[in-house]
Amino acid sequence: MSDDGFTLVLGGARSGKSAVAERLLRHSAAGRAPTYIATAEAWDDEMRARIKDHQTARDGQGWHTLEAPLDLATTLGALPADTPVLIDCLTLWLTNHLLAESDLTDQSRALGAAIAARTAPIVAVANEVGLGIVPDNALARRFRDAAGRLNQDLAAQATRVVFVAAGLPIALKGTL
Amino acid sequence: MSDDGFTLVLGGARSGKSAVAERLLRHSAAGRAPTYIATAEAWDDEMRARIKDHQTARDGQGWHTLEAPLDLATTLGALPADTPVLIDCLTLWLTNHLLAESDLTDQSRALGAAIAARTAPIVAVANEVGLGIVPDNALARRFRDAAGRLNQDLAAQATRVVFVAAGLPIALKGTL
Amino acid sequence: MSDDGFTLVLGGARSGKSAVAERLLRHSAAGRAPTYIATAEAWDDEMRARIKDHQTARDGQGWHTLEAPLDLATTLGALPADTPVLIDCLTLWLTNHLLAESDLTDQSRALGAAIAARTAPIVAVANEVGLGIVPDNALARRFRDAAGRLNQDLAAQATRVVFVAAGLPIALKGTL
């Protein structure tokens, strides 16, 4: 069943991708308590409000929350193999590593291996950021390239890939 | 039949979404004269030319045109319930309200209620704007969030949601 | 068979659209040696590295490579009618013409005619650039409009249109 593997949920900003990802994981978890891994770091009030919004949406649902702005592979490796996991989101994690001047290829490879090692359902959210005009500055272009490459690598590995627009999912790989 | 409800047409700039929306409404209208509600305000020549292009495309088709840059809910409410309506587009309407410093939540709610009250087919066009790099300035980010939220709310309410790329529609909800 | 006509492959930056296009053309070519028409001009090291990446990916596959940053229609016309062709990409070609201050309507029309004259399979890659926030500067907006219009025109002419996200193709027209 596709539900038991790795699902990648892609979408734009405010596309409703997080809500779709939570729904997919809840369904796959089939009653097991899921762990939510947040990658966001709050730099300012705007960010804090955004994180708060997401947390409120999970309120009272019995999720366990971890924060892993950088050490995502280690955090995944430390969880029991049968814990359903939602990662939200990979694009922020990549941003954090870009700003930390990490080797992005190494990081992506370690993440892919950590995901492959899971036996319980795992759902990861990522932004699609390459469908606008070429950005003016070189860092934004580098980020856009890195995000696109990460999405391609993980989509190749995923058992299911879902694209979300206006809260509505369509399957690019596997079935909903 | 999905044709008699509310259809949301999403797409990027110059994606052909307006032409698809007009085709869908003409089909649903089944001979009844449709009303076109334009939300664009022409600030400059570029804008005026763009509006003119769209009007020319409807020429000789017997459409009745109304302008509602802000009072969309009121305009909808004043139309006979059995008049087929095309709204083009919601994203410009939202921009106008953002610039007018309206309460966007109130406005979105009033719009949703006005659409729900229609009995004839209604098609609304909206831009998907969240698939590029995070914008530099805070107002653009606020707009992007508001546009995404509006699209999600209306998509939840719609009987049919269509995404258009290169003039080609795919159904995200309902059937073409 | 759709394989023998004109396939348009749309996608964002780093979406994997070039790899999908190459796969589709190789399949359609059915053993005939394909010609790759590159439209990129290398202005700087970043660009050169990007072009190199794409060339490396085709290494050892027996492709013949031509460069046509501007004279795409002429280049197509000079090839034997039964040579399978991949054009990568139309959006860079359009950018080159925009910077050269060509008449974009004339150029698009000539390209459409040159594609229509092919009898062997032809696959062309183009960027979808209209799904982000409205760009600040007028030239970027003009480019965005022109790119959208070209994509619509070619999609209308194509026997198959494929949208690629995270390396995964979905058919907007025809079948994969």
Side-chain angles (χ1 to χ4, degrees), chain B residues 8-113:
Chain B
L8 180 64
V9 178
L10 297 169
R14 288 287 163 194
S15 63
K17 58 192 185 309
S18 293
V20 168
E22 289 182 29
R23 205 164 62 228
L24 291 173
L25 184 63
R26 257 199 306 271
H27 185 262
S28 301
R32 285 169 290 184
T35 289
Y36 177 94
I37 305 182
T39 61
E41 289 187 297
W43 296 299
D44 55 24
D45 288 351
E46 187 183 335
M47 198 73 157
R48 245 182 297 276
R50 205 179 264 256
I51 292 174
K52 190 81 199 315
D53 277 1
H54 281 264
Q55 285 184 331
T56 305
R58 291 191 309 274
D59 258 16
Q61 309 261 2
W63 293 63
H64 180 218
T65 297
L66 295 175
E67 291 183 14
L70 290 166
D71 298 327
L72 195 44
T74 316
T75 303
L76 275 175
L79 284 173
D82 62 344
T83 299
V85 174
L86 173 57
I87 304 169
D88 192 358
C89 78
L90 296 175
T91 313
L92 274 172
W93 168 82
L94 189 74
T95 306
N96 295 338
H97 274 294
L98 195 75
L99 297 176
E101 301 185 6
S102 308
D103 181 318
L104 299 183
T105 306
D106 285 357
Q107 290 297 331
S108 297
R109 202 169 296 152
L111 175 63

Side-chain angles (χ1 to χ4, degrees), chain A residues 34-46:
Chain A
T35 289
Y36 178 95
I37 305 182
T39 61
E41 288 187 296
W43 296 299
D44 55 25
D45 288 351
E46 187 184 337

Side-chain angles (χ1 to χ4, degrees), chain A residues 8 10 128 130-133 136 138 141 144-146 148-149 151-152 155-156 161 163 170-173, chain C residues 11-16 46 50 53 128-132 135 140 143-144 163 165-170:
Chain A
L8 180 64
L10 297 169
E128 171 58 53
L131 289 160
I133 282 289
D136 283 334
R141 287 198 300 273
R144 197 169 74 141
D145 283 356
R149 245 183 251 118
N151 289 353
Q152 283 187 54
V161 181
F163 186 87
I170 51 170
L172 298 179
K173 185 179 184 179
Chain C
R14 287 287 163 196
S15 62
E46 186 184 336
R50 204 179 265 257
D53 277 1
E128 170 58 53
V129 298
L131 289 159
F143 167 68
R144 196 169 76 141
F163 185 87
L168 301 169
I170 50 169

Side-chain angles (χ1 to χ4, degrees), chain C residues 65-90:
Chain C
T65 298
L66 295 176
E67 291 183 14
L70 290 167
D71 297 327
L72 194 44
T74 315
T75 304
L76 275 175
L79 284 173
D82 62 343
T83 300
V85 174
L86 173 57
I87 304 169
D88 192 358
C89 78
L90 297 176

Side-chain angles (χ1 to χ4, degrees), chain C residues 126-139:
Chain C
N127 276 72
E128 170 58 53
V129 298
L131 289 159
I133 283 287
V134 180
D136 284 334
N137 75 78
L139 183 67

